[in-house]
Amino acid sequence: MIYYFSGTGNSEWVAKELAVRLQTEAIAITSLEKQTIIEVGDGETVGFIFPIHAWAPPKIMAEFIKHINYGKDTFKFMVGTCESEAGTAMKKLAKEIGIQSGYSVSMPNNYIIGTNVDTPETIDKKIKAAKIQIENICDEVKAKEKVWKVAKGWLGGIKSVIAAPMFQKYAISTKPFHVEESCIGCGVCVRSCPLHSIKLVENKPVWDKACTQCLSCINHCPKEAIQYGEKTKGKARYFLKNI
């Protein structure tokens, strides 16, 4: 079984590509009821796919992984999708629950608060490279090989230890979200939010406090009407199905 968390489709695509090749099912953790108890049988293989947010796994996935009942000799692997580097937080998480294998897969950039999206040429190059990498991951998972192929990046340890907690504490906020007059009240943002944290009030989106900075709402808006302060104005949008 493969469990994934995804905002703009990168991790969802990786999870489903892996599931097809491993002949298993890919399940979005946000589709599960909160009280659901996951039981993994003895000797089974389970994978976790998620984006890297500021050199660390999203809190929602880190908590989900810790609250699973694992059987004897369960083979656990995880894949973090990122623009280029994942830091060291995945390693820390792996040690906490005994994950045997870990990978990072470079995918197109979607964090337009910081930078713009990748060029079409870069996106195409990353997707092609990811397909090859997924094939290799599947071969190693099928063989239950214990490997660690995570791109830590420059000063990855420091970024995961210092920058990641700071990001979780101070950078994740729904207050800067707002919509421009071009908003048509279609509700795409409501349906695309993995935390179900958006509702329409007088035909305009209103954000609750819960957020993980996946930017699904911004990137899925068909009118590009959603902004995050002034940081996303004039920048292109990205979600995998759109390419």
Side-chain angles (χ1 to χ4, degrees):
M1 189 65 68
I2 290 176
Y3 296 97
Y4 70 88
F5 173 76
S6 186
T8 59
N10 284 341
S11 293
E12 178 183 8
W13 177 77
V14 171
K16 290 182 177 180
E17 288 288 312
L18 286 167
V20 169
R21 291 164 175 76
L22 295 174
Q23 297 183 330
T24 188
E25 186 177 359
I27 299 176
I29 64 172
T30 51
S31 69
L32 301 172
E33 297 292 336
K34 289 185 178 180
Q35 66 270 24
T36 301
I37 298 175
I38 306 297
E39 302 279 352
V40 180
D42 294 346
E44 291 187 8
T45 295
V46 59
F48 306 101
I49 320 299
F50 49 83
I52 297 297
H53 291 169
W55 305 282
K59 186 177 180 180
I60 185 174
M61 179 56 90
E63 292 300 317
F64 176 82
I65 292 175
K66 295 175 184 177
H67 293 89
I68 293 179
N69 294 327
Y70 299 100
K72 183 180 179 181
D73 297 325
T74 299
F75 183 79
K76 302 180 283 291
F77 74 97
M78 60 181 175
V79 178
T81 61
C82 56
E83 183 184 5
S84 58
E85 56 186 55
T88 60
M90 286 177 64
K91 193 70 171 181
K92 181 177 182 294
L93 182 60
K95 289 181 178 179
E96 289 178 358
I97 61 169
I99 291 180
Q100 292 94 333
S101 294
Y103 305 85
S104 64
V105 174
S106 178
M107 292 290 288
N109 178 49
N110 61 5
Y111 193 67
I112 61 173
I113 290 177
T115 59
N116 211 333
V117 300
D118 292 328
T119 64
E121 293 77 18
T122 298
I123 290 173
D124 183 63
K125 183 178 179 180
K126 285 184 175 181
I127 295 297
K128 288 179 178 178
K131 288 182 178 180
I132 296 172
Q133 190 175 358
I134 287 170
E135 293 284 357
N136 294 332
I137 291 172
C138 287
D139 290 341
E140 292 172 348
V141 169
K142 287 177 182 178
K144 295 186 176 181
E145 296 183 20
K146 297 179 181 180
V147 298
W148 193 259
K149 297 180 179 179
V150 176
K152 182 175 69 174
W154 184 68
L155 297 179
I158 295 176
K159 291 173 180 176
S160 292
V161 172
I162 298 178
M166 294 288 285
F167 177 82
Q168 289 286 338
K169 188 174 182 178
Y170 298 111
I172 296 180
S173 172
T174 58
K175 290 182 179 179
F177 284 116
H178 64 278
V179 291
E180 298 176 330
E181 292 184 1
S182 55
C183 172
I184 58 175
C186 63
V188 169
C189 55
V190 176
R191 296 188 293 274
S192 68
C193 177
L195 299 188
H196 312 295
S197 189
I198 307 173
K199 60 182 178 181
L200 291 183
V201 177
E202 296 182 355
N203 218 34
K204 299 296 181 184
V206 175
W207 285 259
D208 197 355
K209 292 183 179 180
C211 185
T212 189
Q213 287 268 309
C214 69
L215 303 191
S216 177
C217 57
I218 288 180
N219 284 294
H220 280 89
C221 178
K223 293 296 184 179
E224 298 186 6
I226 299 175
Q227 305 294 349
Y228 194 81
E230 299 294 321
K231 297 178 180 179
T232 55
K233 287 188 176 182
K235 293 181 180 178
R237 269 47 173 172
Y238 166 88
F239 62 94
L240 190 59
K241 291 181 180 179
N242 196 35
I243 63 170

